[in-house]
């Protein structure tokens, strides 16, 4: 798993001298008018280590505001006197509104993915397309790669994201810098043939961009799949499930 900055840790640090109640962080700020500007101002003043606020919006609950920082979300009262973390649940519909919101914020637009930074291979016509975020030392990724071989008429774009340590980073570099990236990747993942060590002059900037892309969209583990209709799956699925999703994505 890749390591991301914890919003909870940042908030705890910010309110070290504030009042803590149970599992909820409470930050007391001067009473002021209930509007976005005051919430922004008050939280910035009292919680200086809190990430920059990107958006403040009303929720469906009177007096409760969503405060968004990137794809991290907390909630505030209308005066900015208190903030709290956790899931906002619609009990009637049984929907986790916070999760739904984060999924929307971290969604992929398949058409805008930087496919030039991916290892590419295809079977048959290659008409159907899918993306895989993969670590070369990930056992589930290797199992997934084996199942992908059973698919027909598919183009696979693999983004190397070495989240499992230094050896993963080294193998990603060796694979990306090889003359035949696709062959080297498949030989390693399917047959455990160790890639040849890359020349010192080779750059891994595309792999670094892949890591940034994964962080942006909260790809916290490998494998992760994205289909042409921009739906995503976290974790390995078998060939039958991939086939179903390829069919479904082709309908959109």
């Amino acid at each position: 798993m890749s390591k991301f900055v914890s919003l909870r840790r940042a908030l705890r640090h910010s309110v070290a001298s504030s009042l803590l109640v149970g599992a909820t962080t409470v930050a007391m700020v001067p009473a002021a008018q209930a509007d976005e500007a005051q919430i922004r101002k008050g939280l910035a003043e009292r919680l200086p280590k809190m990430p920059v606020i990107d958006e403040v919006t009303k929720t469906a609950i009177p007096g409760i505001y969503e405060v968004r920082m990137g794809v991290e979300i907390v909630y505030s009262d209308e005066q900015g006197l208190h903030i709290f973390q956790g899931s906002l649940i619609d009990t009637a519909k049984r929907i986790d509104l916070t999760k739904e919101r984060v999924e929307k914020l971290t969604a992929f637009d398949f058409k805008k993915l930087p496919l030039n930074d991916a290892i590419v291979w295809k079977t048959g016509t290659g008409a159907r397309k899918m993306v895989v975020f993969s670590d070369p030392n990930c056992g589930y990724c290797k199992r997934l790669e084996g199942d992908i071989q059973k698919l027909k008429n598919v183009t696979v774009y693999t983004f190397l994201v070495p989240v499992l340590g230094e050896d993963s980073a080294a193998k990603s570099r060796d694979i990306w810098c090889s003359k035949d990236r696709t062959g080297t990747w498949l030989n390693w993942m399917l047959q455990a043939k160790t890639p040849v060590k890359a020349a010192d002059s080779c750059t891994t900037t595309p792999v670094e961009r892949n890591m940034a892309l994964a962080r942006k969209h909260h790809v916290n583990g490998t494998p992760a799949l994205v289909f042409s209709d921009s739906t995503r799956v976290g974790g390995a699925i078998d060939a039958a499930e991939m086939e179903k999703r390829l069919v479904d994505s082709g309908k959109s």
Side-chain angles (χ1 to χ4, degrees):
M1 299 289 287
S2 54
K3 296 180 180 178
F4 298 108
V5 176
S6 168
L7 175 62
R8 186 179 295 275
R9 182 179 301 170
L11 288 174
R12 281 204 300 265
H13 185 74
S14 296
V15 298
S17 59
S18 300
L19 177 62
L20 301 179
V21 179
T24 302
T25 300
V26 182
M28 305 303 296
V29 298
Q33 62 183 16
D35 59 14
E36 176 183 350
Q38 180 57 36
I39 291 173
R40 286 178 177 272
K41 182 176 182 294
L43 293 180
E45 289 177 349
R46 296 293 178 145
L47 303 176
K49 298 296 183 180
M50 187 174 181
V52 175
I53 296 173
D54 293 308
E55 185 179 15
V56 177
T57 55
K58 291 182 179 180
T59 69
I61 304 173
I64 299 299
Y65 286 72
E66 175 194 289
V67 180
R68 181 178 67 81
M69 295 143 289
V71 295
E72 303 287 356
I73 290 173
V74 297
Y75 298 97
S76 170
D77 66 11
E78 61 185 356
Q79 294 184 341
L81 295 175
H82 307 82
I83 59 172
F84 59 93
Q85 294 174 278
S87 292
L88 189 63
I89 308 295
D90 183 326
T91 57
K93 298 180 180 179
R94 298 185 179 181
I95 297 175
D96 185 333
L97 298 175
T98 306
K99 180 181 177 182
E100 188 176 73
R101 175 75 163 130
V102 171
E103 287 178 347
K104 183 177 180 180
L105 290 169
T106 60
F108 286 95
D109 183 341
F110 193 93
K111 294 179 181 179
K112 294 182 179 180
L113 285 169
L115 301 180
N116 288 336
D117 288 342
I119 295 171
V120 186
W121 66 275
K122 71 177 183 177
T123 63
T125 64
R128 306 184 299 172
K129 303 181 187 302
M130 60 184 288
V131 158
V132 180
F133 287 83
S134 191
D135 182 298
N137 285 329
C138 164
Y140 289 107
C141 298
K142 293 177 180 179
R143 189 180 77 183
L144 177 75
E145 201 68 50
D147 282 333
I148 291 176
Q149 310 306 309
K150 302 172 185 177
L151 303 174
K152 297 180 180 180
N153 301 321
V154 61
T155 299
V156 182
Y157 301 91
T158 300
F159 287 97
L160 293 172
V161 282
V163 297
L164 296 178
E166 293 182 4
D167 187 68
S168 290
K171 280 192 172 66
S172 294
R173 184 174 185 276
D174 294 340
I175 292 168
W176 182 259
C177 294
S178 65
K179 292 182 179 180
D180 178 9
R181 292 169 184 161
T182 298
T184 302
W185 169 254
L186 293 177
N187 285 339
W188 166 247
M189 297 298 281
L190 301 176
Q191 301 178 41
K193 291 184 178 180
T194 304
V196 175
K197 182 176 175 55
D200 292 339
S201 59
C202 179
T203 177
T204 55
T205 301
V207 177
E208 294 168 6
R209 288 197 293 262
N210 293 346
M211 293 292 285
L213 180 68
R215 286 192 295 270
K216 176 182 177 181
H217 293 279
H218 274 212
V219 177
N220 296 329
T222 57
L225 298 83
V226 184
F227 295 88
S228 59
D229 62 351
S230 296
T231 58
R232 64 189 283 179
V233 176
I237 55 178
D238 60 22
E241 180 63 21
M242 281 188 281
E243 177 64 29
K244 178 180 181 300
R245 289 177 178 273
L246 285 166
V247 171
D248 291 344
S249 64
K251 296 177 182 178
S252 61

